[in-house]
Amino acid sequence: MSGSILLLLLVGASSAIYCDYNEGIIDDYLADEENLYCFDGGLIEIDENSRLCSNEYGFLTARADDMTVLCPDTHTLVGYTNYECDEDGVLAATLTNDAVLTPYSALIPLL
């Protein structure tokens, strides 16, 4: 019985959907924002291990989690804070497939 449970767990783990964060969203819309941080799940807090969206080495492999963006306390985030990884493995498909909506996250410095 334990063998079949292990097999079921392994099959379930391999069926996760993965999204390429760079292609389409980061490269096309977010890479120009110098102080914008991208997160792939876990603790969403800016610290010394956080990845800038503009860092070309930030997300080299596809991720299963939605992508969240955050800015430092010196700025205000305008636009989307979360980009969903859909069941087809496309990040922010709802936004990119809509002729009216644009994936957009920008920073405005606080005065």
Side-chain angles (χ1 to χ4, degrees), residues 39-46 68-70:
F39 297 88
D40 60 345
L43 182 63
I44 300 172
E45 180 179 283
I46 297 173
T68 302
V69 296
L70 191 62

Side-chain angles (χ1 to χ4, degrees), residues 49-72:
N49 297 315
S50 299
R51 298 179 189 135
L52 287 166
C53 297
S54 60
N55 182 345
E56 65 182 290
Y57 302 108
F59 296 99
L60 296 178
T61 59
R63 304 289 201 265
D65 294 309
D66 296 345
M67 183 180 74
T68 302
V69 296
L70 191 62
C71 65

Side-chain angles (χ1 to χ4, degrees), residues 27-103:
D27 290 345
D28 294 346
Y29 298 101
L30 306 178
D32 292 338
E33 293 293 335
E34 292 182 19
N35 291 308
L36 187 65
Y37 291 86
C38 290
F39 297 88
D40 60 345
L43 182 63
I44 300 172
E45 180 179 283
I46 297 173
D47 62 19
E48 66 276 358
N49 297 315
S50 299
R51 298 179 189 135
L52 287 166
C53 297
S54 60
N55 182 345
E56 65 182 290
Y57 302 108
F59 296 99
L60 296 178
T61 59
R63 304 289 201 265
D65 294 309
D66 296 345
M67 183 180 74
T68 302
V69 296
L70 191 62
C71 65
D73 294 338
T74 57
H75 293 74
T76 298
L77 180 63
V78 176
Y80 296 98
T81 59
N82 188 63
Y83 295 94
E84 181 181 86
C85 180
D86 76 2
E87 64 274 355
D88 294 323
V90 178
L91 190 64
T94 304
L95 297 174
T96 56
N97 292 333
D98 190 301
V100 177
L101 300 175
T102 300

